[in-house]
Coordinates of all heavy atoms in Angstrom, one line a residue:
M1 N 2.7 8.1 -12.6 CA 1.9 7.2 -11.8 C 2.8 6.4 -10.7 O 3.8 6.1 -10.9 CB 1.1 6.2 -12.6 CG -0.2 6.6 -13.1 SD -1.6 6.4 -12.0 CE -1.7 4.6 -12.0
T2 N 2.1 6.2 -9.6 CA 2.9 5.5 -8.6 C 2.7 4.0 -8.6 O 2.2 3.3 -7.8 CB 2.4 6.0 -7.2 OG1 1.0 5.8 -7.2 CG2 2.8 7.3 -6.9
T3 N 3.0 3.4 -9.8 CA 2.8 2.0 -10.0 C 3.5 1.0 -9.2 O 2.9 0.0 -8.8 CB 3.1 1.7 -11.6 OG1 4.1 2.4 -11.9 CG2 2.0 2.1 -12.5
N4 N 4.7 1.3 -8.9 CA 5.5 0.3 -8.1 C 5.4 0.3 -6.7 O 6.0 -0.3 -5.9 CB 6.9 0.3 -8.5 CG 7.1 -0.4 -9.9 OD1 6.4 -1.4 -10.2 ND2 8.0 0.1 -10.8
I5 N 4.6 1.3 -6.2 CA 4.5 1.6 -4.8 C 3.2 0.8 -4.2 O 2.1 1.0 -4.8 CB 4.5 3.0 -4.4 CG1 5.8 3.5 -4.9 CG2 4.1 3.3 -3.0 CD1 6.1 5.1 -4.5
F6 N 3.4 0.1 -3.2 CA 2.4 -0.7 -2.6 C 2.4 -0.5 -1.1 O 3.5 -0.5 -0.5 CB 2.5 -2.2 -2.9 CG 1.3 -3.0 -2.5 CD1 0.1 -3.1 -3.3 CD2 1.2 -3.6 -1.3 CE1 -1.0 -3.8 -3.0 CE2 0.2 -4.4 -0.9 CZ -0.9 -4.4 -1.7
F7 N 1.3 -0.2 -0.4 CA 1.3 0.0 1.0 C 0.6 -1.1 1.8 O -0.4 -1.7 1.2 CB 0.6 1.3 1.3 CG 1.4 2.5 0.7 CD1 0.7 3.3 -0.3 CD2 2.7 2.8 1.1 CE1 1.4 4.3 -0.9 CE2 3.4 3.8 0.5 CZ 2.7 4.6 -0.4
V8 N 1.1 -1.4 3.0 CA 0.4 -2.3 3.8 C 0.4 -1.7 5.2 O 1.5 -1.3 5.7 CB 0.9 -3.8 3.7 CG1 2.4 -3.9 4.0 CG2 0.1 -4.7 4.6
C9 N -0.6 -1.9 5.9 CA -0.6 -1.3 7.4 C 0.0 -2.3 8.2 O -0.6 -3.4 8.4 CB -2.0 -0.8 7.8 SG -2.1 -0.3 9.5
P10 N 1.1 -2.0 8.9 CA 1.6 -3.0 9.9 C 0.9 -3.1 11.1 O 1.0 -4.0 12.0 CB 3.1 -2.5 10.1 CG 3.0 -1.1 9.9 CD 1.9 -0.8 8.8
H11 N 0.0 -2.2 11.4 CA -0.9 -2.1 12.5 C -2.0 -3.2 12.4 O -2.3 -3.8 13.3 CB -1.3 -0.7 12.6 CG -1.8 -0.4 14.1 ND1 -3.1 -0.2 14.4 CD2 -1.1 -0.3 15.2 CE1 -3.1 0.1 15.7 NE2 -1.9 0.0 16.2
C12 N -2.8 -3.1 11.3 CA -4.0 -3.9 11.2 C -4.0 -4.9 10.0 O -4.8 -5.7 9.9 CB -5.3 -2.9 11.2 SG -5.5 -2.1 9.6
G13 N -3.0 -4.7 9.2 CA -2.8 -5.7 8.1 C -3.7 -5.1 6.8 O -3.7 -5.9 5.8
N14 N -4.2 -4.0 6.9 CA -5.1 -3.4 5.8 C -4.0 -3.3 4.6 O -2.9 -2.7 4.7 CB -5.7 -2.1 6.1 CG -6.1 -1.4 4.9 OD1 -6.7 -1.9 4.0 ND2 -6.0 0.0 5.0
D15 N -4.5 -3.8 3.4 CA -3.5 -3.7 2.3 C -4.3 -3.1 1.0 O -4.1 -3.5 -0.1 CB -2.9 -4.9 2.0 CG -3.7 -6.1 1.8 OD1 -4.9 -6.0 1.7 OD2 -3.2 -7.2 1.7
T16 N -5.5 -2.5 1.3 CA -6.2 -2.0 0.1 C -6.4 -0.6 0.0 O -6.3 0.1 -1.1 CB -7.7 -2.8 0.1 OG1 -8.3 -2.6 1.4 CG2 -7.6 -4.2 -0.3
E17 N -6.9 0.2 1.1 CA -7.3 1.5 1.0 C -6.4 2.4 1.9 O -6.3 2.3 3.1 CB -8.7 1.8 1.3 CG -9.6 1.2 0.3 CD -11.0 1.4 0.5 OE1 -11.5 2.5 0.7 OE2 -11.8 0.4 0.4
F18 N -5.8 3.4 1.3 CA -5.0 4.4 2.0 C -5.2 5.8 1.6 O -5.5 6.0 0.5 CB -3.5 4.1 1.9 CG -3.1 2.7 2.5 CD1 -3.1 1.6 1.8 CD2 -2.7 2.7 3.9 CE1 -2.9 0.3 2.5 CE2 -2.4 1.6 4.5 CZ -2.4 0.4 3.8
K19 N -5.0 6.7 2.5 CA -5.0 8.1 2.1 C -3.4 8.5 2.1 O -2.7 8.1 2.9 CB -5.6 8.9 3.2 CG -7.2 8.9 3.0 CD -7.8 9.8 4.2 CE -9.2 9.8 4.3 NZ -9.8 10.2 5.5
I20 N -3.2 9.2 1.1 CA -1.8 9.6 0.8 C -1.6 11.1 1.1 O -2.3 11.8 0.4 CB -1.3 9.3 -0.6 CG1 -1.7 7.8 -1.0 CG2 0.1 9.5 -0.7 CD1 -1.0 6.7 -0.3
F21 N -0.7 11.5 2.0 CA -0.5 12.9 2.2 C 1.0 13.1 1.8 O 1.8 12.8 2.6 CB -0.6 13.2 3.6 CG -2.1 13.0 4.2 CD1 -2.4 11.7 4.7 CD2 -3.0 13.9 4.3 CE1 -3.6 11.5 5.3 CE2 -4.3 13.7 4.8 CZ -4.6 12.5 5.3
T22 N 1.1 13.7 0.7 CA 2.5 14.2 0.3 C 2.2 15.7 -0.1 O 1.6 16.4 0.5 CB 3.0 13.3 -0.9 OG1 2.1 13.3 -1.9 CG2 3.3 11.9 -0.4
S23 N 2.9 16.1 -1.2 CA 2.8 17.5 -1.7 C 1.3 17.6 -2.1 O 0.8 18.8 -2.3 CB 3.8 17.8 -2.7 OG 3.6 16.8 -3.7
S24 N 0.7 16.5 -2.4 CA -0.7 16.5 -2.7 C -1.4 15.4 -1.8 O -0.8 14.6 -1.3 CB -1.0 16.2 -4.2 OG -0.5 14.9 -4.5
F25 N -2.8 15.6 -2.0 CA -3.6 14.6 -1.1 C -4.4 13.6 -2.0 O -5.0 14.2 -2.9 CB -4.5 15.2 -0.1 CG -5.5 14.5 0.5 CD1 -5.3 13.5 1.5 CD2 -6.9 14.5 -0.1 CE1 -6.2 12.8 2.0 CE2 -7.8 13.6 0.5 CZ -7.5 12.8 1.5
R26 N -4.4 12.3 -1.8 CA -5.2 11.6 -2.6 C -5.5 10.2 -1.9 O -5.0 9.9 -0.9 CB -4.6 11.2 -4.0 CG -3.4 10.6 -4.0 CD -2.6 11.0 -5.2 NE -1.2 11.1 -4.8 CZ -0.3 10.0 -5.0 NH1 -0.7 8.9 -5.7 NH2 1.0 10.1 -4.6
V27 N -6.6 9.6 -2.3 CA -7.1 8.4 -1.7 C -6.7 7.3 -2.8 O -7.0 7.4 -4.0 CB -8.6 8.4 -1.4 CG1 -9.0 7.1 -0.9 CG2 -8.8 9.6 -0.5
I28 N -6.1 6.2 -2.4 CA -5.9 5.0 -3.4 C -6.6 3.8 -2.9 O -6.8 3.6 -1.7 CB -4.4 4.9 -3.5 CG1 -3.7 4.5 -2.1 CG2 -3.6 6.0 -4.1 CD1 -2.4 3.6 -2.3
K29 N -6.7 2.9 -3.9 CA -7.3 1.7 -3.6 C -6.3 0.7 -4.4 O -6.0 0.8 -5.5 CB -8.7 1.5 -4.2 CG -9.6 0.6 -3.5 CD -11.0 0.5 -4.1 CE -11.8 1.5 -3.3 NZ -13.2 1.3 -3.7
Q30 N -5.9 -0.4 -3.6 CA -4.9 -1.2 -4.1 C -5.5 -2.7 -4.3 O -6.5 -3.1 -3.7 CB -3.7 -1.4 -3.1 CG -3.1 -0.1 -2.8 CD -1.9 -0.3 -1.8 OE1 -0.9 0.3 -2.0 NE2 -2.2 -1.2 -0.8
S31 N -4.9 -3.5 -5.2 CA -5.2 -4.8 -5.2 C -4.2 -5.7 -4.7 O -3.1 -5.7 -5.3 CB -5.5 -5.2 -6.9 OG -5.4 -6.6 -6.9
P32 N -4.4 -6.4 -3.6 CA -3.5 -7.1 -3.0 C -3.0 -8.3 -3.8 O -1.9 -8.8 -3.8 CB -4.1 -7.6 -1.7 CG -5.3 -6.7 -1.4 CD -5.7 -6.3 -2.8
E33 N -4.0 -8.9 -4.6 CA -3.6 -9.9 -5.5 C -2.6 -9.6 -6.6 O -1.7 -10.4 -7.0 CB -4.9 -10.6 -6.2 CG -5.9 -11.2 -5.3 CD -6.7 -10.2 -4.4 OE1 -7.0 -9.1 -4.9 OE2 -7.2 -10.6 -3.5
L34 N -2.7 -8.3 -7.1 CA -1.9 -7.9 -8.1 C -0.7 -7.2 -7.6 O 0.3 -7.0 -8.3 CB -2.7 -6.9 -9.2 CG -3.9 -7.5 -9.9 CD1 -4.7 -6.6 -10.6 CD2 -3.4 -8.8 -10.9
G35 N -0.8 -6.6 -6.4 CA 0.2 -5.8 -5.8 C 0.4 -4.6 -6.4 O 1.6 -4.0 -6.4
I36 N -0.6 -4.0 -6.9 CA -0.6 -2.6 -7.5 C -1.8 -1.7 -7.1 O -2.7 -2.3 -6.5 CB -0.5 -2.7 -9.0 CG1 -1.7 -3.5 -9.5 CG2 0.8 -3.2 -9.5 CD1 -2.0 -3.3 -11.0
C37 N -1.6 -0.5 -7.2 CA -2.6 0.4 -7.0 C -3.6 0.3 -8.2 O -3.2 0.4 -9.4 CB -2.1 1.8 -6.9 SG -3.3 3.1 -6.9
I38 N -4.9 0.2 -8.0 CA -5.8 0.0 -9.1 C -6.7 1.2 -9.2 O -7.4 1.4 -10.2 CB -6.7 -1.3 -8.9 CG1 -7.3 -1.3 -7.4 CG2 -6.0 -2.5 -9.3 CD1 -8.4 -2.4 -7.3
E39 N -6.8 2.0 -8.1 CA -7.6 3.1 -8.2 C -7.0 4.3 -7.5 O -6.4 4.0 -6.5 CB -8.9 2.9 -7.6 CG -10.2 2.8 -8.5 CD -11.5 2.6 -7.8 OE1 -12.1 3.6 -7.1 OE2 -12.0 1.5 -7.7
E40 N -7.1 5.5 -8.1 CA -6.5 6.7 -7.5 C -7.3 7.9 -7.7 O -7.8 8.1 -8.7 CB -5.0 6.8 -8.1 CG -4.2 7.7 -7.4 CD -2.7 7.8 -8.0 OE1 -2.3 6.8 -8.3 OE2 -2.3 8.9 -8.2
S41 N -7.6 8.5 -6.6 CA -8.5 9.7 -6.7 C -7.6 10.8 -7.3 O -6.4 10.8 -7.4 CB -9.0 10.1 -5.3 OG -7.9 10.7 -4.6
T42 N -8.4 11.8 -7.8 CA -7.8 13.0 -8.3 C -6.9 13.7 -7.1 O -7.4 13.7 -6.1 CB -8.8 14.0 -8.7 OG1 -9.8 13.4 -9.5 CG2 -8.2 15.1 -9.5
A43 N -5.7 13.9 -7.5 CA -4.9 14.6 -6.4 C -5.3 16.0 -6.1 O -5.6 16.8 -7.0 CB -3.4 14.6 -6.9
L44 N -5.4 16.2 -4.8 CA -5.9 17.6 -4.4 C -4.7 18.3 -3.7 O -3.8 17.6 -3.2 CB -7.0 17.5 -3.3 CG -8.3 16.8 -3.8 CD1 -9.1 16.6 -2.7 CD2 -9.0 17.7 -4.8
P45 N -4.5 19.5 -3.8 CA -3.5 20.3 -3.1 C -3.4 20.0 -1.7 O -4.5 20.0 -1.2 CB -3.6 21.7 -3.5 CG -4.8 21.7 -4.5 CD -5.5 20.5 -4.5
S46 N -2.3 19.7 -1.2 CA -2.2 19.4 0.2 C -2.2 20.8 1.0 O -1.6 21.8 0.5 CB -1.0 18.6 0.6 OG -1.0 18.4 1.9
L47 N -2.8 20.8 2.2 CA -2.8 22.0 3.0 C -1.3 22.2 3.6 O -0.9 23.3 3.7 CB -3.8 21.9 4.1 CG -5.2 21.7 3.6 CD1 -6.1 21.6 4.7 CD2 -5.6 23.0 2.8
R48 N -0.7 21.1 3.9 CA 0.6 21.2 4.4 C 1.6 20.7 3.5 O 1.7 19.4 3.3 CB 0.6 20.6 5.9 CG -0.2 21.4 6.9 CD -0.1 20.7 8.1 NE -0.9 19.4 8.1 CZ -0.8 18.5 8.9 NH1 -0.3 18.7 10.1 NH2 -1.5 17.3 8.9
Q49 N 2.4 21.4 2.8 CA 3.4 21.0 1.9 C 4.4 20.0 2.2 O 4.9 19.2 1.5 CB 4.0 22.3 1.2 CG 3.0 23.0 0.3 CD 2.5 22.4 -0.9 OE1 3.3 21.7 -1.6 NE2 1.3 22.4 -1.2
K50 N 4.6 20.0 3.5 CA 5.7 19.2 4.1 C 5.2 17.8 4.5 O 6.0 17.0 4.8 CB 6.4 19.8 5.3 CG 7.4 20.9 5.0 CD 7.9 21.6 6.2 CE 8.9 22.7 5.8 NZ 9.2 23.5 7.0
D51 N 4.0 17.5 4.3 CA 3.5 16.2 4.6 C 4.1 15.0 3.7 O 4.4 15.3 2.6 CB 2.0 16.1 4.4 CG 1.2 16.7 5.5 OD1 1.8 16.9 6.6 OD2 0.0 16.8 5.5
N52 N 4.4 14.1 4.4 CA 5.0 12.9 3.7 C 4.7 11.6 4.5 O 5.5 10.9 5.0 CB 6.5 13.0 3.5 CG 7.0 12.1 2.5 OD1 6.4 11.8 1.5 ND2 8.3 11.5 2.7
H53 N 3.4 11.4 4.5 CA 2.9 10.1 5.2 C 1.6 9.6 4.7 O 1.0 10.2 3.7 CB 2.7 10.4 6.7 CG 1.6 11.5 7.0 ND1 1.8 12.8 7.1 CD2 0.3 11.2 7.2 CE1 0.7 13.4 7.3 NE2 -0.3 12.5 7.3
I54 N 1.3 8.4 5.0 CA 0.0 7.9 4.6 C -0.8 7.4 5.7 O -0.3 7.4 6.9 CB 0.3 6.6 3.7 CG1 0.9 5.4 4.5 CG2 1.2 6.9 2.6 CD1 0.7 4.2 3.8
E55 N -2.1 7.3 5.5 CA -3.0 6.9 6.7 C -3.8 5.7 6.2 O -4.4 5.7 5.2 CB -3.9 8.1 6.9 CG -4.9 7.9 8.2 CD -5.9 9.0 8.3 OE1 -5.5 10.1 8.6 OE2 -7.0 8.7 8.2
C56 N -3.8 4.8 7.1 CA -4.6 3.6 6.9 C -6.1 3.9 7.0 O -6.5 4.5 7.9 CB -4.2 2.5 7.9 SG -5.3 1.1 7.9
Q57 N -6.8 3.5 6.0 CA -8.2 3.8 6.0 C -9.1 2.8 7.0 O -10.1 3.1 7.3 CB -8.8 3.6 4.6 CG -8.4 4.6 3.6 CD -9.3 5.9 3.7 OE1 -9.3 6.5 4.7 NE2 -9.9 6.2 2.7
A58 N -8.4 1.8 7.4 CA -9.1 0.8 8.3 C -9.0 1.2 9.8 O -9.9 1.2 10.5 CB -8.7 -0.6 8.0
C59 N -7.8 1.6 10.2 CA -7.5 1.8 11.6 C -6.9 3.2 11.9 O -6.7 3.6 13.0 CB -6.5 0.8 12.2 SG -4.9 1.0 11.6
F60 N -6.7 4.0 10.8 CA -6.4 5.4 10.9 C -4.9 5.6 11.5 O -4.6 6.6 12.0 CB -7.3 6.3 11.6 CG -8.7 6.2 11.1 CD1 -9.7 5.5 11.8 CD2 -9.0 6.7 9.9 CE1 -11.0 5.3 11.3 CE2 -10.3 6.6 9.3 CZ -11.3 5.9 9.9
H61 N -4.1 4.5 11.3 CA -2.8 4.5 11.7 C -2.0 5.3 10.8 O -2.2 5.2 9.5 CB -2.2 3.0 11.8 CG -0.9 2.9 12.3 ND1 -0.7 3.1 13.7 CD2 0.3 2.5 11.9 CE1 0.6 2.9 14.0 NE2 1.2 2.6 12.9
I62 N -1.0 6.1 11.2 CA -0.4 7.0 10.4 C 1.0 6.4 10.2 O 1.8 6.0 11.1 CB -0.2 8.5 10.9 CG1 -1.7 8.9 10.9 CG2 0.7 9.3 10.1 CD1 -2.0 10.3 10.6
L63 N 1.5 6.4 8.9 CA 2.8 5.7 8.6 C 3.7 6.8 7.8 O 3.1 7.5 7.0 CB 2.7 4.6 7.8 CG 2.0 3.4 8.4 CD1 1.2 2.5 7.4 CD2 3.1 2.5 9.0
E64 N 4.9 6.8 8.0 CA 5.9 7.6 7.2 C 5.8 7.1 5.9 O 6.0 5.8 5.7 CB 7.2 7.7 7.9 CG 8.1 8.7 7.5 CD 9.1 8.4 6.6 OE1 9.8 7.3 6.9 OE2 9.4 9.0 5.5
Y65 N 5.7 7.9 4.9 CA 5.6 7.4 3.5 C 6.7 6.5 3.0 O 6.4 5.4 2.4 CB 5.7 8.7 2.5 CG 5.3 8.4 1.1 CD1 4.0 8.4 0.6 CD2 6.4 8.0 0.2 CE1 3.7 8.2 -0.7 CE2 6.1 7.7 -1.2 CZ 4.8 7.8 -1.6 OH 4.5 7.5 -2.8
D66 N 7.9 6.8 3.3 CA 9.0 6.0 2.7 C 9.1 4.6 3.4 O 9.4 3.5 2.9 CB 10.4 6.6 2.9 CG 10.4 7.9 2.0 OD1 9.8 7.8 0.8 OD2 11.1 8.9 2.3
S67 N 8.9 4.7 4.8 CA 9.0 3.3 5.4 C 7.8 2.5 5.1 O 7.9 1.3 5.0 CB 9.2 3.6 6.9 OG 7.9 4.2 7.4
A68 N 6.7 3.1 4.9 CA 5.4 2.2 4.4 C 5.7 1.8 3.1 O 5.3 0.5 2.9 CB 4.2 3.2 4.4
A69 N 6.3 2.5 2.2 CA 6.6 1.9 0.9 C 7.5 0.7 1.0 O 7.4 -0.3 0.2 CB 7.2 3.0 -0.1
A70 N 8.5 0.8 1.8 CA 9.5 -0.2 2.0 C 8.9 -1.4 2.7 O 9.1 -2.6 2.2 CB 10.7 0.3 3.0
I71 N 8.0 -1.4 3.4 CA 7.3 -2.5 4.2 C 6.5 -3.1 3.0 O 6.4 -4.2 2.9 CB 6.4 -1.9 5.3 CG1 7.2 -1.5 6.5 CG2 5.5 -3.0 5.8 CD1 6.3 -0.7 7.6
G72 N 5.7 -2.3 2.2 CA 4.9 -2.7 1.2 C 5.6 -3.6 0.2 O 5.2 -4.5 -0.3
K73 N 6.8 -3.2 -0.2 CA 7.6 -3.8 -1.2 C 8.0 -5.1 -0.6 O 8.0 -6.2 -1.4 CB 8.9 -2.9 -1.3 CG 9.6 -3.2 -2.7 CD 10.7 -2.2 -2.9 CE 11.6 -2.5 -4.1 NZ 12.7 -1.6 -4.2
K74 N 8.5 -5.2 0.6 CA 8.8 -6.5 1.2 C 7.6 -7.4 1.3 O 7.7 -8.6 0.9 CB 9.3 -6.2 2.6 CG 10.7 -6.6 2.9 CD 11.2 -6.4 4.3 CE 12.3 -5.4 4.3 NZ 12.5 -4.9 5.7
Y75 N 6.5 -6.8 1.6 CA 5.3 -7.6 1.7 C 4.8 -8.2 0.3 O 4.5 -9.4 0.3 CB 4.1 -6.6 2.1 CG 2.7 -7.2 2.2 CD1 2.3 -7.9 3.3 CD2 1.8 -7.0 1.2 CE1 1.0 -8.4 3.4 CE2 0.5 -7.5 1.3 CZ 0.2 -8.3 2.4 OH -1.1 -8.8 2.5
I76 N 5.0 -7.4 -0.7 CA 4.7 -8.0 -2.1 C 5.6 -9.0 -2.5 O 5.2 -10.1 -3.0 CB 4.7 -6.8 -3.1 CG1 3.5 -5.9 -3.0 CG2 4.8 -7.4 -4.6 CD1 2.2 -6.6 -3.2
Q77 N 7.0 -8.9 -2.2 CA 7.9 -9.9 -2.5 C 7.6 -11.2 -1.8 O 7.8 -12.3 -2.3 CB 9.3 -9.4 -2.2 CG 9.9 -8.4 -3.2 CD 11.1 -7.8 -2.6 OE1 11.5 -7.9 -1.5 NE2 11.7 -7.0 -3.5
T78 N 7.2 -11.1 -0.5 CA 6.9 -12.3 0.3 C 5.7 -13.0 -0.2 O 5.7 -14.2 -0.3 CB 6.7 -11.9 1.8 OG1 7.9 -11.1 2.2 CG2 6.5 -13.1 2.7
T79 N 4.6 -12.3 -0.5 CA 3.4 -12.9 -0.9 C 3.6 -13.5 -2.3 O 3.1 -14.6 -2.6 CB 2.2 -12.0 -1.0 OG1 2.6 -10.7 -1.6 CG2 1.6 -11.5 0.4
K80 N 4.4 -12.9 -3.2 CA 4.7 -13.4 -4.4 C 5.4 -14.8 -4.4 O 5.1 -15.8 -5.0 CB 5.6 -12.5 -5.3 CG 4.6 -11.5 -6.1 CD 5.5 -10.8 -7.2 CE 4.7 -9.7 -7.8 NZ 5.5 -8.6 -8.4
R81 N 6.4 -14.8 -3.4 CA 7.1 -16.0 -3.2 C 6.2 -17.2 -2.6 O 6.3 -18.2 -3.0 CB 8.3 -15.7 -2.2 CG 9.5 -16.5 -2.5 CD 10.6 -16.1 -1.6 NE 10.8 -14.7 -1.6 CZ 11.2 -13.9 -0.6 NH1 11.6 -14.5 0.5 NH2 11.4 -12.7 -0.6
L82 N 5.3 -16.7 -1.7 CA 4.5 -17.7 -1.1 C 3.5 -18.3 -2.1 O 3.2 -19.5 -2.2 CB 3.7 -17.1 0.0 CG 4.4 -16.9 1.3 CD1 3.5 -16.2 2.3 CD2 4.9 -18.1 1.9
R83 N 3.1 -17.4 -3.0 CA 2.1 -17.9 -4.1 C 2.7 -18.8 -5.1 O 2.3 -19.8 -5.4 CB 1.6 -16.6 -4.8 CG 0.2 -16.9 -5.4 CD -0.5 -15.6 -5.7 NE -0.9 -14.9 -4.5 CZ -1.1 -13.5 -4.3 NH1 -0.7 -12.8 -5.3 NH2 -1.5 -13.0 -3.2
K84 N 4.0 -18.5 -5.3 CA 4.8 -19.3 -6.2 C 5.0 -20.7 -5.7 O 4.9 -21.6 -6.3 CB 6.1 -18.6 -6.5 CG 6.8 -19.1 -7.8 CD 8.0 -18.2 -8.1 CE 8.9 -18.8 -9.2 NZ 10.2 -18.2 -9.3
Y85 N 5.4 -20.7 -4.4 CA 5.7 -21.9 -3.6 C 4.4 -22.7 -3.6 O 4.5 -23.9 -3.9 CB 6.0 -21.5 -2.2 CG 6.4 -22.7 -1.4 CD1 7.5 -23.4 -1.6 CD2 5.6 -23.0 -0.3 CE1 7.7 -24.5 -0.8 CE2 5.8 -24.1 0.6 CZ 7.0 -24.8 0.2 OH 7.2 -25.9 1.2
S86 N 3.2 -22.1 -3.3 CA 2.1 -22.9 -3.2 C 1.6 -23.5 -4.4 O 1.0 -24.6 -4.6 CB 0.9 -22.1 -2.5 OG 0.6 -21.0 -3.4
Q87 N 1.9 -22.9 -5.6 CA 1.6 -23.4 -6.9 C 2.4 -24.6 -7.3 O 2.0 -25.4 -8.0 CB 1.8 -22.3 -7.9 CG 0.7 -21.4 -8.0 CD 1.0 -20.1 -8.8 OE1 2.1 -19.9 -9.3 NE2 0.0 -19.2 -8.9
N88 N 3.5 -24.7 -6.6 CA 4.4 -25.9 -6.9 C 4.0 -27.1 -6.1 O 4.5 -28.2 -6.3 CB 5.9 -25.5 -6.6 CG 6.4 -24.6 -7.6 OD1 5.9 -24.5 -8.7 ND2 7.4 -23.8 -7.2
I89 N 3.1 -26.9 -5.2 CA 2.7 -28.1 -4.4 C 1.5 -28.8 -5.2 O 0.5 -28.2 -5.4 CB 2.1 -27.7 -3.0 CG1 3.3 -27.0 -2.2 CG2 1.5 -29.0 -2.3 CD1 2.8 -26.4 -0.9
P90 N 1.7 -30.1 -5.5 CA 0.6 -30.8 -6.2 C -0.7 -30.8 -5.4 O -0.7 -31.0 -4.1 CB 1.2 -32.3 -6.3 CG 2.6 -32.0 -6.1 CD 2.8 -30.9 -5.1
A91 N -1.8 -30.6 -6.0 CA -3.0 -30.4 -5.4 C -3.5 -31.8 -4.8 O -4.4 -31.8 -3.9 CB -4.1 -30.0 -6.5
S92 N -3.0 -32.9 -5.3 CA -3.5 -34.2 -4.8 C -2.8 -34.5 -3.4 O -3.3 -35.5 -2.8 CB -3.2 -35.3 -5.8 OG -1.8 -35.2 -6.2
V93 N -1.8 -33.9 -3.0 CA -1.2 -34.2 -1.7 C -2.0 -33.9 -0.6 O -2.5 -32.7 -0.5 CB 0.3 -33.6 -1.7 CG1 0.9 -33.8 -0.4 CG2 1.2 -34.1 -2.7
Ligands
ZN1 ZN1 -4.4 -0.1 9.7

């Protein structure tokens, strides 16, 4: 399973639904709150074996798989840090 991989579209900010084109084709749904993939369609054989990219389901922007994964990783780290930070601020302030 691709548990540690999270994608975010730098084009429109979509961080939930993507199509994955690698050696197989599948559609994934992510939880931005959890930072993980929560739903994954059955992998279908890809028509083009050399594919290695993802497609944003919101704006159809195409991203290279590895760079998209790197962006997503950074994105998760940042949101986690922000969430931790905001939890440390007293609600009464
Ligand atoms: Zn997009």
Side-chain angles (χ1 to χ4, degrees):
M1 274 271 300
T2 52
T3 37
N4 282 325
I5 295 185
F6 187 86
F7 298 114
V8 58
C9 174
H11 198 247
C12 74
N14 166 37
D15 55 6
T16 51
E17 291 184 50
F18 290 93
K19 281 181 187 164
I20 314 290
F21 299 87
T22 53
S23 53
S24 62
F25 166 78
R26 63 211 141 93
V27 178
I28 61 155
K29 210 175 263 185
Q30 304 176 139
S31 165
E33 289 79 23
L34 300 172
I36 53 163
C37 172
I38 48 167
E39 248 183 81
E40 198 176 306
S41 74
T42 313
L44 300 169
S46 177
L47 297 176
R48 289 176 298 174
Q49 291 292 317
K50 279 181 185 168
D51 275 357
N52 196 32
H53 65 268
I54 67 165
E55 184 187 294
C56 171
Q57 288 276 63
C59 72
F60 306 106
H61 189 70
I62 299 217
L63 292 145
E64 200 252 314
Y65 186 93
D66 291 330
S67 61
I71 293 168
K73 203 173 175 184
K74 242 179 242 171
Y75 178 80
I76 286 299
Q77 282 167 353
T78 309
T79 49
K80 267 188 189 159
R81 212 173 312 149
L82 287 176
R83 208 158 287 152
K84 203 175 168 188
Y85 180 70
S86 62
Q87 275 166 4
N88 289 336
I89 300 169
S92 55
V93 175

